[in-house]
Amino acid sequence: QVQPVESGGGLVQPGGSLRLSCAASGYIYSYFEAWNIGWYRQPPGKQRELVALVTPRGNTTYADSVKGRSTISRDNAGKKVLLQMNNLKPDDTAVYYCRADHVATRHDAWGQGTQVTVSA
């Protein structure tokens, strides 16, 4: 098992919050500090897009659509990355995927995804 493992999705009302977790596995777990970890999402009928990314040093990047509402954080000791999403909107409805990409080789691995639905 070398895929990142996502958890924390679900149904939430507009304005609510969710925290998604991406846990490392396999060789990603063993060399966690060598991987960028990103959260991507794919809304229904649309292409997959970057939501947020954190480098091994903790530098972060956010999509404009979630900037100010989301925080990505990295726990190198716990081998996981969290995505806190607040003030959720119906447009945030999507399958959320975690992706790990190696900083040197650029090899990447995707998780299976977790569904987030924002609806009243």
Side-chain angles (χ1 to χ4, degrees):
Q1 181 72 11
V2 297
Q3 288 177 311
V5 180
E6 304 100 335
S7 61
L11 173 65
V12 63
Q13 292 187 342
S17 298
L18 276 179
R19 187 173 70 174
L20 305 181
S21 177
C22 174
S25 67
Y27 55 74
I28 300 173
Y29 183 96
S30 299
Y31 303 99
F32 190 66
E33 292 80 2
W35 299 81
N36 297 314
I37 306 294
W39 280 99
Y40 293 74
R41 67 185 181 187
Q42 188 163 15
K46 297 184 179 180
Q47 291 189 331
R48 196 172 296 188
E49 61 185 10
L50 174 68
V51 177
L53 180 143
V54 60
T55 70
R57 293 188 176 185
N59 297 319
T60 56
T61 301
Y62 294 93
D64 288 343
S65 58
V66 304
K67 205 173 288 185
R69 302 189 293 123
S70 298
T71 302
I72 189 168
S73 59
R74 184 181 187 116
D75 177 358
N76 284 336
K79 316 287 186 180
K80 63 182 178 181
V81 167
L82 301 177
L83 179 67
Q84 177 69 40
M85 301 184 69
N86 301 319
N87 191 21
L88 285 161
K89 305 174 182 180
D91 284 349
D92 294 316
T93 295
V95 179
Y96 283 70
Y97 297 91
C98 181
R99 173 181 179 254
D101 79 279
H102 196 276
V103 297
T105 67
R106 310 320 308 239
H107 173 74
D108 71 349
W110 290 86
Q112 294 281 0
T114 184
Q115 177 70 45
V116 171
T117 302
V118 184
S119 175

